[in-house]
Amino acid sequence: MKALVIGGNGFIGTALVDRLVERGIEVRVFDRYPSRFKEPVAGVEYMIGDFANLGEVHQAVSGVAWVFHLAYTTLPETSNEDPVYDVRSNVIDTIQLLQECCENEVDKLVFVSSGGTVYGVPQCVPIKENHPTNPICSYGITKLTIEKYLALFHHLKHLEYSVARIANPYGERQNPNAKQGAIGVFLGRIARSQPITIYGDGSVVRDFLYIDDAAEALIACADYVAAPDGPRLFNIGSGVGYSLNEIVDTIKKVVDVDVKVNHIPARQVDVPSNVLDIDLARTALKWEPKVDLETGIHKAWQWIKSLSLV
Ligand SMILES: NC(=O)c1ccc[n+]([C@@H]2O[C@H](COP(=O)([O-])OP(=O)(O)OC[C@H]3O[C@@H](n4cnc5c(N)ncnc54)[C@H](O)[C@@H]3O)[C@@H](O)[C@H]2O)c1
């Protein structure tokens, strides 16, 4: 049994690869760059290539049973700057991937969607999978569009798939210099003795999920055998909401240094609250998160400290 992880050298991908290898599953990683934070894993086949290159994707998909699609070229915040690029590089290239998966008769494609953006401003929390979807960023629209194409390919060509609408993952190998990922960015700034910057008053509530729990959920999505009209789309979060102020309070408990906070104006792209209802994942996937916030932040902090940031 072989699994392909597209985007396998990124934050979520490297955690997923470790979990797959632990289970004795053969792994091929396809990514345009090597991992910044992790040495190659023994026994894993690494292919450097671009998801936009059909020939390379064709080679990558050949001979695999599971495909995990994690590569994405945009972020919620940046996607609105160039929606045309967002659609071209994510939607169109993913449709090409779906065609390759059908031709190669893969058993299951797992797509990492976004629990934080596809719903838009929630009408109620926690948010169930059948909540209306009205994204307020292009990224959310392209994730949702890909979900619809997956359903179409299933309907027309019987491609088996699962969608993981992931909340806000955090933990080891979350890039502290990135434009998203509050916990990783906060810890990175603290490690450099810099103040944390919060958009708005810190009351924004998010659902933070420890990275290994996220990786386990993706494997559960691949393992899951759906009934013909059964669910194929799952919220993957902790099911618990924390405001950014509560995150900072938890960080203060964990780190052994002084934490300073600056507030700057709120961003248009941020919905006020997002907490996922994960009952469907609990029952159908037999998965649930295991790592609580304080433990997860402690693990992330140990990793950030090991980077010797200046
Ligand atoms: N991190 C989050 O907060 C979060 C939340 C919800 C969903 N997601 C989704 O999860 C997936 C993985 O996210 P991540 O946080 O690990 O991101 P990441 O940027 O750390 O990893 C993505 C990987 O994909 C690779 N990639 C991007 N474009 C590519 C291309 N054209 N060809 C080949 N490789 C390419 C990158 O090199 C990178 O290694 C993405 O689809 C993202 O939208 C992330």
Side-chain angles (χ1 to χ4, degrees):
M1 229 285 282
K2 193 162 189 166
L4 169 66
V5 185
I6 302 174
N9 285 336
F11 167 44
I12 301 174
T14 47
L16 172 62
V17 169
D18 283 347
R19 300 287 88 73
L20 288 165
V21 169
E22 268 170 26
R23 285 175 190 228
I25 295 170
E26 260 187 275
V27 179
R28 175 183 294 154
V29 165
F30 181 80
D31 200 299
R32 58 181 167 181
Y33 304 120
S35 166
R36 246 183 280 189
F37 299 119
K38 195 169 196 299
E39 292 298 315
V41 177
V44 170
E45 179 189 347
Y46 288 91
M47 278 180 74
I48 295 295
D50 198 308
F51 184 54
N53 184 319
L54 192 51
E56 290 174 349
V57 171
H58 176 78
Q59 272 186 309
V61 171
S62 162
V64 303
W66 288 350
V67 174
F68 294 90
H69 176 19
L70 280 72
Y72 227 66
T73 61
T74 54
L75 299 172
E77 188 194 354
T78 55
S79 64
N80 288 344
E81 289 161 15
D82 192 350
V84 172
Y85 171 69
D86 190 21
V87 172
R88 278 205 187 117
S89 60
N90 290 311
V91 178
I92 293 176
D93 292 344
T94 298
I95 295 172
Q96 293 187 156
L97 170 70
L98 304 193
Q99 286 167 340
E100 284 298 326
C101 288
C102 291
E103 274 163 36
N104 284 274
E105 298 181 344
V106 306
D107 294 342
K108 179 69 76 74
L109 185 141
V110 178
F111 174 59
V112 181
S113 184
S114 162
T117 62
V118 295
Y119 300 108
V121 180
Q123 294 173 359
C124 56
V125 286
I127 305 168
K128 283 193 181 294
E129 286 83 351
N130 60 5
H131 182 286
T133 47
N134 294 302
I136 57 169
C137 59
S138 175
Y139 170 95
I141 295 174
T142 54
K143 289 282 187 191
L144 208 48
T145 306
I146 291 169
E147 292 182 5
K148 296 290 180 196
Y149 272 102
L150 283 162
L152 178 70
F153 273 71
H154 175 67
H155 176 69
L156 295 178
K157 303 186 175 196
H158 313 291
L159 176 65
E160 266 308 337
Y161 73 96
S162 300
V163 169
R165 286 182 173 169
I166 290 203
N168 295 77
Y170 71 94
E172 294 93 322
R173 297 189 290 278
Q174 183 171 36
N175 184 356
N177 305 315
K179 284 191 173 171
Q180 72 166 11
I183 292 179
V185 172
F186 289 175
L187 294 177
R189 292 189 68 84
I190 294 166
R192 293 191 193 90
S193 307
Q194 293 169 336
I196 289 174
T197 303
I198 290 186
Y199 293 98
D201 63 4
S203 61
V204 159
V205 170
R206 292 288 176 271
D207 181 331
F208 292 94
L209 178 68
Y210 181 62
I211 185 63
D212 286 353
D213 286 331
E216 287 294 343
L218 296 182
I219 296 177
C221 279
D223 255 335
Y224 167 72
V225 180
D229 57 355
R232 288 178 169 76
L233 193 156
F234 305 98
N235 281 340
I236 302 295
S238 69
V240 182
Y242 289 99
S243 70
L244 289 182
N245 291 330
E246 287 171 319
I247 293 298
V248 171
D249 288 343
T250 310
I251 287 176
K252 283 179 178 168
K253 274 199 235 167
V254 169
V255 301
D256 34 14
V257 292
D258 192 31
V259 177
K260 293 198 178 61
V261 183
N262 285 339
H263 290 268
I264 58 172
R267 298 181 299 188
Q268 259 193 330
V269 76
D270 290 325
V271 299
S273 175
N274 180 285
V275 184
L276 300 180
D277 182 318
I278 57 169
D279 280 355
L280 184 61
R282 278 201 171 98
T283 50
L285 302 179
K286 316 259 181 295
W287 165 88
E288 64 180 355
K290 294 197 170 74
V291 178
D292 65 82
L293 185 70
E294 193 170 329
T295 308
I297 288 181
H298 178 76
K299 287 168 183 268
W301 177 237
Q302 295 310 311
W303 178 75
I304 288 275
K305 284 202 295 187
S306 75
L307 295 179
S308 318
L309 296 173
V310 283

